[in-house]
Structures are given as C-alpha cells and as structure tokens.
Amino acid sequence: MSHDRELAFVGLGGMGAGMARCLRAAGYPLVVHNRTAAKAAPLAEAGARVAATSGEAVENARIVVLSLSDQHAVEQVLFGEMLGYLRPGTLVVDTSTLSPAYSAEASERLARVGVRRIEACVLGNPPMAQAGKLRIFTAGDRSGVEEAHDVLATLGQEIRYVGPVGAASTLKLAFNLILGNQVAALAEAVAFVESSGLDRERFLAALTASGFSSPTLAFRAEMVRNRSYEPPQFRVNLMAKDLRLAVDEADARGVGLVVTACAADRFTEAVRAGDGDKDAAVVAEPRSPVR
C-alpha cells in the first residue's frame, strides 16, 4: 500500500492501543496519534509512523480509525483538530462509545464537507483488541462498511451490521448497561456476604462454579477476589459515562432506566473517590460516600 493509502489511527487508550497494534501486526502501513505521546512509543517500535498532531495523522489517509474516550474528545479532536485536514471521500471509522443522537449528528456534520463516517462499536477488552478477537457492531452507509471490511475483519472475530447510524451506539450502550448493572450487583452481593461475616473468597468460588456465572462475571470476580483492579479492562470513569449516556438517551425517549441510574451513581461515586482509572470492579471495595 502506498503512502497516500496509509491507514490512520487516532486515540491510543487501552482499546485503541490494542486495535492499533493488531492492525500493525497484520501489516497495515499505519500512522498513529495520541495526545499523550508516550502511548505511541510501542507503535513506533512496531513500525508505525507517529504523527505530531491529529491533523498530520489524517491528511493522507484513506481510512481513519477513531478510538476516543467520550463525546467531548470526539468534538475536540475530530471537529476541532482534524476536520480541516480530512480530504473529501475519506472514511472515518468511529469506534468511540457515544450517544446515538450525537453519533448521528457527527455523521451529518462530516457529510457536509464530503467526509464519510460509519459506526464500528466494539465489544471486548484490550487483550481481545490486540488479538483481533473483538465483536463489532457496524452502522451507517453500507458502502462505507464494505470499504472498511478488511480493517474490521482484522480487528474482529464477528462483524454485525445493525442498521442506520446510531443503531450501533444504541446496541453498545445496551451491552454496557448490562455489564454495568452486573458489576454493581456483584459489588453489592460481596458487601452483603461480608456484612454477615462470611469471606468473599468462599462466596466468589461458589458463584463462579454456578449457573449464575459467565466469562465476564468470572473475570470480574477474579479481580474482586484478588482486590486487584489494575490494569483496568474497563475503566470506572468510562463505565459511569456510558451508563449515564444510556439513562439520558432513555429519558429522552420516555423510558426510565431506574436500576441503571442507580448503578451509574455508584460508579460516579468511585470516580469522585479517585478510582476513575481503575477497573469498574473496584466498586466492590467499601468506601465512605464522597460529597
């Protein structure tokens, strides 16, 4: 692939770094950018070109993959920094978790300047991202999804087209809603057991051997058993953000997510307590309410 067919990757957090490493290992000529430059060093060692700015990263790219933390970051990076450098016809593959409404708005704004955008919401964790084992919900223009197929197939073991732009964001938030409530319920179950004088180890061993368990629950149970929440697989601050997005989106549609709203408050408390960069399972640890 020639230089003008370079693949750009912007956003090298836990998931982004894993995906970028996967693409580089598959042989893609890759240019990367991250605001914290040190996070790009492993990609440089793997042969990726590191751009000093996001604009430089995308100016010659045919496809741009985004992996940003929230809507504020997308607004600032995509529209505040990159927009003037994106060539007409460029395809933006956005893996960021956003509200469906904002996602649709972002696609419309890019279309006005001739830039295409599809949703590619991913399910998995950083090791799965690096191994190319993600599950990917795609949405938006089918021709864009087809154009990005090889890139997506490198990253995921399953690619599922789910409809117009906004649909992938809806499904991603629905999955994260289930995960967040499950982790919050696990935390409360541990607190309940320990309040009776029983050891969490005994409870967690019984739980993971039961029909109530699942790969995701067992994974978090191991973190809780060891009281080890770093490195995070799903950061508390992102969980709080995603659950709040789901609650707000549902409120706008006249649907109340009462359980999810309570879970969102619990994760928000953990962020305020200084645990935002730890794994979401840290909510299993007792703490005094932060006011």
Side-chain angles (χ1 to χ4, degrees), residues 21-258:
R21 290 190 189 106
C22 178
L23 292 168
R24 184 67 200 118
Y28 280 90
L30 197 65
V31 55
V32 300
H33 173 73
N34 192 76
R35 287 193 169 186
T36 305
K39 290 186 177 181
L43 273 303
E45 293 174 2
R49 182 170 70 87
V50 179
T53 66
S54 58
E56 179 190 335
V58 305
E59 60 185 351
N60 291 317
R62 174 176 61 92
I63 295 177
V64 175
V65 184
L66 290 185
S67 180
L68 300 173
S69 58
D70 54 28
Q71 291 174 190
H72 175 74
V74 171
E75 186 68 27
Q76 192 166 10
V77 175
L78 177 57
F79 293 102
E81 300 173 7
M82 291 167 46
L83 190 58
Y85 295 88
L86 291 167
R87 297 180 179 183
T90 300
L91 177 64
V92 174
V93 177
D94 199 342
T95 71
S96 313
T97 303
L98 311 169
S99 76
Y102 180 83
S103 183
E105 176 192 328
S107 291
E108 291 172 4
R109 290 164 66 187
L110 290 177
R112 293 177 200 143
V113 293
V115 175
R116 300 168 296 152
R117 176 183 175 275
I118 62 169
E119 293 179 310
C121 298
V122 299
L123 298 178
N125 55 39
M128 292 173 69
Q130 187 164 345
K133 299 296 183 182
L134 298 172
R135 286 183 165 80
I136 305 174
F137 295 144
T138 61
D141 181 65
R142 276 190 176 274
S143 64
V145 173
E146 291 169 1
E147 183 176 335
H149 178 270
D150 289 350
V151 171
L152 297 174
T154 300
L155 296 173
Q157 59 182 312
E158 176 188 359
I159 304 167
R160 187 182 295 266
Y161 181 78
V162 296
V165 65
S169 292
T170 297
L171 287 189
K172 176 63 183 293
L173 289 177
F175 272 76
N176 285 357
L177 177 160
I178 293 171
L179 175 61
N181 284 323
Q182 188 178 51
V183 172
L186 173 63
E188 291 200 349
V190 169
F192 175 69
V193 166
E194 291 187 326
S195 71
S196 72
L198 291 176
D199 183 80
R200 69 171 60 186
E201 168 63 33
R202 180 169 296 182
F203 164 66
L204 293 169
L207 175 67
T208 54
S210 75
F212 285 89
S213 189
S214 66
T216 299
L217 185 63
F219 181 78
R220 255 62 195 206
E222 186 66 17
M223 287 185 162
V224 174
R225 176 184 287 116
N226 296 325
R227 288 184 165 90
S228 177
Y229 306 104
E230 296 177 285
Q233 302 302 303
F234 196 140
R235 298 204 313 270
V236 172
N237 53 11
L238 296 182
M239 182 67 80
K241 178 264 296 185
D242 289 355
L243 295 191
R244 187 52 57 190
L245 283 177
V247 170
D248 291 346
E249 188 77 15
D251 283 347
R253 299 174 186 175
V255 177
L257 302 183
V258 178

Side-chain angles (χ1 to χ4, degrees), residues 271-291:
V271 173
R272 291 172 180 163
D275 288 334
D277 287 330
K278 296 179 181 178
D279 190 85
V282 76
V283 294
E285 297 306 318
R287 60 170 51 85
S288 299
V290 176
R291 301 189 185 279

